[in-house]
Amino acid sequence: MNTWTFKLPVSLDESLNEASQRAQLTKSELVRRALAAYLGRENAVESRAPSALVQAGDLVACFEGGSADLSCNLRHLDGFGQA
């Protein structure tokens, strides 16, 4: 694989950072996919199914209340591992 170096405007770099975090992909992988799609070679880049985190990302940390760490209270482990 070849390595390229190029300059990006700050606003484009910020957008790339946000998009890569949202997609749970490296910036390099995201740029490879975008370039392949732009060039009409979508088959050249392996497409993967989105991760569970990407699919349900809006649900992460959406609940309030309750214990932050259930392992800190042994009462939550009562009966764990028993058939």
Side-chain angles (χ1 to χ4, degrees):
M1 193 174 293
N2 293 331
T3 301
W4 289 76
T5 302
F6 53 93
K7 296 179 181 179
L8 290 177
V10 173
S11 61
L12 187 56
D13 184 50
E14 290 171 351
S15 296
L16 180 60
N17 282 329
E18 291 170 9
S20 70
Q21 289 175 357
R22 239 187 348 266
Q24 296 292 305
L25 297 170
T26 64
K27 291 192 292 186
S28 294
E29 179 63 19
L30 191 60
V31 169
R32 279 191 292 272
R33 290 182 184 196
L35 188 55
Y38 179 80
L39 296 174
R41 300 178 58 196
E42 294 184 39
N43 294 337
V45 177
E46 179 183 320
S47 81
R48 291 180 259 180
S51 69
L53 177 60
V54 169
Q55 292 179 1
D58 59 328
L59 300 175
V60 174
C62 67
F63 299 103
E64 293 182 17
S67 177
D69 183 3
L70 296 177
S71 67
C72 66
N73 187 335
L74 296 179
R75 180 177 52 88
H76 297 293
L77 296 175
D78 287 346
F80 181 75
Q82 296 177 0

